[in-house]
């Protein structure tokens, strides 16, 4: 049975024409122009994308991705087209529908068909420029728990009673396999590295760890990712419409994996995941290696007035623009005798924030480079450590008065 992917709901022309019908005489041409422009306006109003301008890194494009979500084809509550549409609206570049392969509670209403979630989502997402990845969730009790497999060629082939055979099949298809929500069944969510995981890992099969699932961040899994050099992922695992779980607070975003890819293509996403070039964005926080978080931060901000002039014991302000979609909470730890800066500042997303600078009495006259060391408190480069970086200014110190 073939199902047509549903099309966006565009109001039919007769309705729009009726709505602009006017008792005063006007030319047919004017009416036609009016109705055409209204059709355009209706589309623009109903379907908009919130762009998430995370900066690109040197040599890589930054892609916003959610590699874990469900549809009615397993235990989700939305049709696959909705996943593609909401991902586009949420500013994402790539998604994977990972319906459970072995668990289909709607099977009496919707026939089990492992090929369809991807096909339906792709048909809707591709015209929007969304990268849709063929995937599935291997769903077992613990151990080993749930594993997602991305970039499959045949999802149904993973439906095997033997877990090792299922994972091996995913790997043989070129799949990228990651462990979902490691700690979710453990007391206090203390994740346990099972013998099964060790085997998958030593086989080279287990390549990723979900360190953020929904709103849960797993510091134990994060440490594994660092120690074992496994790719870090953060995903929604959405079952309901994403708007049910995120967005109640203004500006709240779903969790996502930032992928630093050589191009904006499916194959480049795959290459970047195997090469471990990712970071996680969740609940206003960045999580990942300093080698990615430092340029992400530095390329997000721009000092509007990098050359400042200040008198002895005087004060001035530095304006810092944050072009990214997230706030940065920055704490300055340097207190030199010649300069004092605001101890803590929030660089607000999409705005210019002020940093107050005061000159001490010990500053000699003249122009020089000043490096302001700081810590970005919502950028976690290990489970216990935030990003250390610096801002550079050119300061002209003037003698007193
Ligand atoms: Zn799961
Ligand atoms: Zn899931």
């Amino acid at each position: 049975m073939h199902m047509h992917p549903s099309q966006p709901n565009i109001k039919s022309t007769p309705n729009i024409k009726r709505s602009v019908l006017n008792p005063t005489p006007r030319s047919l041409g004017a009416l036609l122009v009016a109705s055409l422009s209204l059709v355009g306006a209706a589309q623009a109003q109903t379907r908009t994308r919130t762009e998430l301008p995370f900066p690109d890194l040197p040599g890589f494009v930054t892609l916003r991705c959610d590699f874990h979500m469900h549809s009615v084809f397993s235990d989700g509550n939305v049709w696959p087209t909705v996943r593609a549409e909401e991902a586009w609206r949420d500013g994402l570049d790539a998604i994977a529908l990972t319906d459970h392969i072995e668990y289909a509670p709607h099977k009496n209403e919707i026939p089990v068909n492992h090929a369809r979630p991807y096909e339906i989502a792709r048909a809707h997402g591709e015209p929007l420029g969304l990268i849709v990845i063929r995937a599935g969730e291997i769903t077992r009790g613990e151990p080993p728990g749930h594993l997602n497999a991305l970039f499959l060629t045949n999802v149904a082939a993973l439906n095997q009673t033997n877990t090792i055979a299922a994972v091996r099949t995913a790997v043989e298809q070129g799949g990228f396999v990651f462990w979902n929500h490691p700690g979710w069944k453990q007391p206090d969510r203390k994740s346990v590295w099972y013998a099964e995981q060790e085997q998958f890992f030593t086989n080279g099969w287990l390549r990723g760890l979900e360190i953020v699932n929904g709103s849960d961040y797993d510091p134990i899994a994060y440490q594994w990712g660092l120690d074992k050099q496994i790719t870090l992922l953060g995903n929604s695992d959405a079952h309901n419409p994403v708007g049910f779980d995120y967005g109640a607070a203004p500006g709240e975003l779903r969790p996502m994996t930032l992928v630093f890819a050589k191009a904006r293509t499916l194959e480049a996403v795959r290459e970047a995941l195997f090469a471990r070039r990712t970071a996680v964005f969740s609940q206003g926080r960045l999580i990942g290696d300093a080698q990615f978080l430092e340029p992400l931060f530095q390329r997000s901000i721009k000092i509007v007035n990098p050359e400042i002039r200040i008198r002895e014991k005087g004060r001035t302000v530095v304006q810092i623009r944050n072009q990214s979609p997230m706030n940065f909470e920055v704490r300055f730890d340097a207190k030199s005798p010649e300069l004092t800066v605001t101890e803590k500042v929030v660089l607000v997303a999409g705005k210019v924030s002020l940093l107050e600078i005061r000159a001490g009495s010990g500053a000699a006259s003249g122009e020089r480079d000043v490096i302001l060391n700081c810590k970005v408190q919502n950028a976690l480069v290990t489970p216990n450590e935030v990003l250390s970086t610096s801002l550079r200014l050119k300061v002209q110190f003037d003698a007193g008065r």
Side-chain angles (χ1 to χ4, degrees):
M1 189 178 73
H2 185 77
M3 286 181 250
H4 292 281
S6 74
Q7 291 299 312
N9 195 11
I10 300 166
K11 277 183 188 164
S12 65
T13 312
N15 284 338
I16 290 168
K17 270 191 179 165
R18 261 199 302 281
S19 73
V20 297
L21 275 179
N22 191 311
T24 60
R26 60 159 68 176
S27 77
L28 183 62
L31 183 63
L32 189 63
V33 168
S35 48
L36 281 175
S37 66
L38 272 180
V39 170
Q43 281 180 298
Q45 279 166 0
T46 51
R47 300 179 76 199
T48 59
R49 172 171 167 92
T50 303
E51 295 197 302
L52 302 177
F54 285 104
D56 292 336
L57 302 193
F60 301 110
V61 290
T62 298
L63 303 180
R64 296 127 277 240
C65 311
D66 188 347
F67 298 120
H68 189 172
M69 57 187 92
H70 296 272
S71 78
V72 289
F73 281 86
S74 63
D75 59 347
N77 296 319
V78 307
W79 191 248
T81 50
V82 176
R83 289 288 176 236
E85 179 75 16
E86 66 190 0
W88 178 80
R89 292 185 183 205
D90 287 353
L92 300 189
D93 301 285
I95 60 165
L97 267 69
T98 49
D99 278 307
H100 298 287
I101 293 166
E102 310 85 342
Y103 178 57
H106 304 318
K107 61 178 177 288
N108 292 334
E109 287 81 29
I110 294 161
V112 172
N113 188 334
H114 299 295
R116 291 304 284 156
Y118 162 78
E119 290 171 359
I120 297 168
R122 198 187 108 172
H124 188 90
E126 219 169 43
L128 298 171
L130 193 68
I131 297 167
V132 182
I133 298 161
R134 191 187 272 111
E137 182 165 8
I138 302 168
T139 309
R140 305 297 158 108
E142 302 229 355
H146 298 185
L147 299 147
N148 272 355
L150 311 180
F151 312 105
L152 298 175
T153 54
N154 180 351
V155 181
L158 272 58
N159 193 10
Q160 305 187 32
T161 38
N162 184 297
T163 306
I164 292 172
V167 177
R168 183 192 287 118
T169 302
V171 171
E172 283 170 356
Q173 291 184 14
F176 176 88
V177 175
F178 64 93
W179 185 11
N180 304 337
H181 45 69
W184 74 313
K185 292 286 190 196
Q186 301 298 335
D188 302 323
R189 297 194 177 244
K190 295 259 187 250
S191 303
V192 175
W193 185 263
Y194 299 115
E196 286 78 355
Q197 264 68 18
E198 182 62 23
Q199 188 195 338
F200 296 155
F201 175 63
T202 50
N203 288 356
W205 295 355
L206 181 63
R207 302 302 294 257
L209 287 170
E210 210 172 53
I211 64 165
V212 166
N213 175 279
S215 10
D216 293 328
Y217 156 63
D218 184 339
I220 297 172
Y222 183 20
Q223 190 62 53
W224 291 335
L226 297 175
D227 295 342
K228 302 172 194 294
Q229 288 293 293
I230 304 180
T231 304
L232 309 173
L233 299 127
N235 301 310
S236 69
D237 197 2
H239 287 70
N240 289 315
V242 167
F244 283 17
D245 299 327
Y246 306 97
E252 184 192 24
L253 301 172
R254 64 159 88 178
M256 63 192 74
T257 306
L258 301 179
V259 173
F260 311 112
K262 290 176 180 165
R264 196 179 182 283
T265 64
L266 179 112
E267 187 43 49
V269 172
R270 183 176 178 277
E271 188 276 337
L273 287 182
F274 276 101
R276 202 177 176 273
R277 288 196 311 272
T278 65
V280 171
F281 175 70
S282 165
Q283 302 201 312
R285 188 157 63 171
L286 279 177
I287 307 168
D289 290 5
Q291 61 165 322
F292 303 127
L293 265 48
E294 164 130 55
L296 255 185
F297 170 73
Q298 291 290 351
R299 289 175 156 234
S300 293
I301 62 161
K302 184 167 174 39
I303 300 180
V304 179
N305 55 332
E307 297 183 19
I308 60 167
R309 193 171 191 123
I310 194 163
R311 282 180 192 282
E312 189 182 344
K313 293 183 185 168
R315 61 178 64 191
T316 188
V317 285
V318 175
Q319 302 198 23
I320 305 174
R321 180 184 298 123
N322 175 4
Q323 297 156 121
S324 85
M326 65 175 287
N327 294 345
F328 288 106
E329 297 160 24
V330 182
R331 182 180 284 275
F332 290 89
D333 50 17
K335 263 204 183 79
S336 75
E338 58 181 18
L339 275 187
T340 314
V341 299
T342 319
E343 200 180 335
K344 192 179 168 188
V345 66
V346 177
L347 304 178
V348 178
K351 293 186 187 289
V352 176
S353 302
L354 293 180
L355 181 66
E356 187 175 310
I357 299 210
R358 280 187 285 169
S361 53
S365 300
E367 189 185 68
R368 51 196 173 272
D369 288 332
V370 170
I371 292 169
L372 302 173
N373 292 317
C374 60
K375 292 191 190 301
V376 184
Q377 295 188 291
N378 57 334
L380 273 185
V381 295
T382 77
N384 317 304
E385 193 188 346
V386 299
L387 175 67
S388 292
T389 184
S390 61
L391 302 181
R392 190 176 287 267
L393 297 172
K394 194 173 277 297
V395 184
Q396 169 70 47
F397 291 96
D398 291 339
R401 322 220 108 244

